[in-house]
Amino acid sequence: MLSTIKLMADGSCISGGFCTNLPHATASSSTLHHVLQIVIGTFAVVAVLMIVIAGLNIVTAGGDSAKVAKARGTIIFALVGLAIAIFADVIVSMVAGRL
Protein backbone atom coordinates (compact mmCIF):
# COMPACT_ATOMS: atom_id res chain seq x y z
CA MET A 1 0.00 0.00 0.00
CA LEU A 2 1.50 3.37 -1.04
CA SER A 3 0.13 5.37 1.87
CA THR A 4 2.01 3.26 4.43
CA ILE A 5 4.67 5.30 6.22
CA LYS A 6 7.92 3.46 6.79
CA LEU A 7 9.95 4.41 9.82
CA MET A 8 13.68 4.97 9.73
CA ALA A 9 16.04 3.44 12.27
CA ASP A 10 15.43 6.34 14.65
CA GLY A 11 11.67 6.21 14.09
CA SER A 12 11.23 9.18 11.74
CA CYS A 13 10.68 9.82 8.05
CA ILE A 14 11.03 12.82 5.83
CA SER A 15 7.78 14.71 5.27
CA GLY A 16 5.52 13.05 2.76
CA GLY A 17 6.38 9.54 3.93
CA PHE A 18 9.69 9.32 2.05
CA CYS A 19 12.18 7.24 4.02
CA THR A 20 15.86 6.90 3.19
CA ASN A 21 16.94 4.57 6.01
CA LEU A 22 19.76 7.01 6.80
CA PRO A 23 20.47 7.95 10.39
CA HIS A 24 19.03 11.24 11.55
CA ALA A 25 21.67 13.69 12.81
CA THR A 26 20.74 16.25 15.41
CA ALA A 27 23.66 18.68 15.50
CA SER A 28 23.27 22.37 16.15
CA SER A 29 25.01 24.98 14.03
CA SER A 30 27.39 25.76 16.89
CA THR A 31 28.46 22.11 17.09
CA LEU A 32 29.08 22.03 13.36
CA HIS A 33 30.99 25.31 13.59
CA HIS A 34 33.24 23.96 16.37
CA VAL A 35 33.98 20.73 14.49
CA LEU A 36 34.82 22.63 11.31
CA GLN A 37 37.05 25.03 13.26
CA ILE A 38 39.01 22.05 14.59
CA VAL A 39 39.40 20.58 11.09
CA ILE A 40 40.38 23.91 9.52
CA GLY A 41 42.76 24.63 12.42
CA THR A 42 44.42 21.26 11.88
CA PHE A 43 44.95 22.10 8.21
CA ALA A 44 46.46 25.44 9.21
CA VAL A 45 48.87 23.78 11.65
CA VAL A 46 49.96 21.31 8.96
CA ALA A 47 50.53 24.18 6.50
CA VAL A 48 52.67 26.08 9.01
CA LEU A 49 54.64 22.91 9.79
CA MET A 50 55.28 22.42 6.06
CA ILE A 51 56.54 26.00 5.80
CA VAL A 52 58.95 25.47 8.69
CA ILE A 53 60.25 22.19 7.24
CA ALA A 54 60.68 23.77 3.79
CA GLY A 55 62.55 26.65 5.40
CA LEU A 56 64.90 24.19 7.07
CA ASN A 57 65.37 22.47 3.71
CA ILE A 58 66.41 25.80 2.17
CA VAL A 59 68.89 26.43 4.98
CA THR A 60 70.40 22.94 4.67
CA ALA A 61 70.36 22.82 0.86
CA GLY A 62 74.04 23.70 0.72
CA GLY A 63 73.74 25.65 -2.50
CA ASP A 64 71.88 22.92 -4.41
CA SER A 65 69.48 24.91 -6.58
CA ALA A 66 67.17 21.92 -7.15
CA LYS A 67 66.62 21.48 -3.40
CA VAL A 68 66.04 25.22 -2.95
CA ALA A 69 63.52 25.27 -5.82
CA LYS A 70 61.68 22.28 -4.36
CA ALA A 71 61.56 23.90 -0.91
CA ARG A 72 60.30 27.19 -2.39
CA GLY A 73 57.55 25.29 -4.20
CA THR A 74 56.58 23.63 -0.93
CA ILE A 75 56.40 27.02 0.78
CA ILE A 76 54.21 28.43 -2.00
CA PHE A 77 51.81 25.49 -1.89
CA ALA A 78 51.68 25.61 1.92
CA LEU A 79 50.90 29.34 1.82
CA VAL A 80 48.11 28.71 -0.69
CA GLY A 81 46.73 25.98 1.58
CA LEU A 82 46.97 28.27 4.59
CA ALA A 83 45.08 31.00 2.72
CA ILE A 84 42.37 28.51 1.74
CA ALA A 85 42.07 27.36 5.37
CA ILE A 86 41.72 30.96 6.57
CA PHE A 87 39.10 31.81 3.95
CA ALA A 88 37.24 28.58 4.72
CA ASP A 89 37.12 29.55 8.39
CA VAL A 90 35.78 32.99 7.48
CA ILE A 91 33.11 31.48 5.22
CA VAL A 92 32.05 28.94 7.86
CA SER A 93 31.84 31.71 10.48
CA MET A 94 29.67 33.81 8.20
CA VAL A 95 27.35 30.93 7.29
CA ALA A 96 27.10 29.63 10.86
CA GLY A 97 26.30 33.15 12.05
CA ARG A 98 23.30 33.29 9.74
CA LEU A 99 21.80 29.92 10.77
Side-chain angles (χ1 to χ4, degrees):
M1 179 176 216
L2 293 176
S3 63
T4 304
I5 297 176
K6 296 178 183 177
L7 295 177
M8 290 178 22
D10 65 349
S12 64
C13 285
I14 299 172
S15 63
F18 179 71
C19 298
T20 61
N21 293 327
L22 296 174
H24 181 70
T26 56
S28 66
S29 64
S30 65
T31 303
L32 178 64
H33 180 68
H34 288 295
V35 169
L36 288 176
Q37 275 189 332
I38 291 170
V39 170
I40 292 168
T42 303
F43 288 150
V45 167
V46 169
V48 170
L49 184 63
M50 288 178 64
I51 291 169
V52 169
I53 291 172
L56 290 174
N57 286 339
I58 288 175
V59 170
T60 61
D64 187 1
S65 60
K67 288 182 180 179
V68 171
K70 183 178 178 183
R72 282 185 183 166
T74 301
I75 290 173
I76 290 170
F77 286 125
L79 287 173
V80 169
L82 186 60
I84 290 171
I86 290 169
F87 287 130
D89 189 35
V90 169
I91 291 170
V92 168
S93 296
M94 287 175 24
V95 170
R98 293 184 183 184
L99 294 178

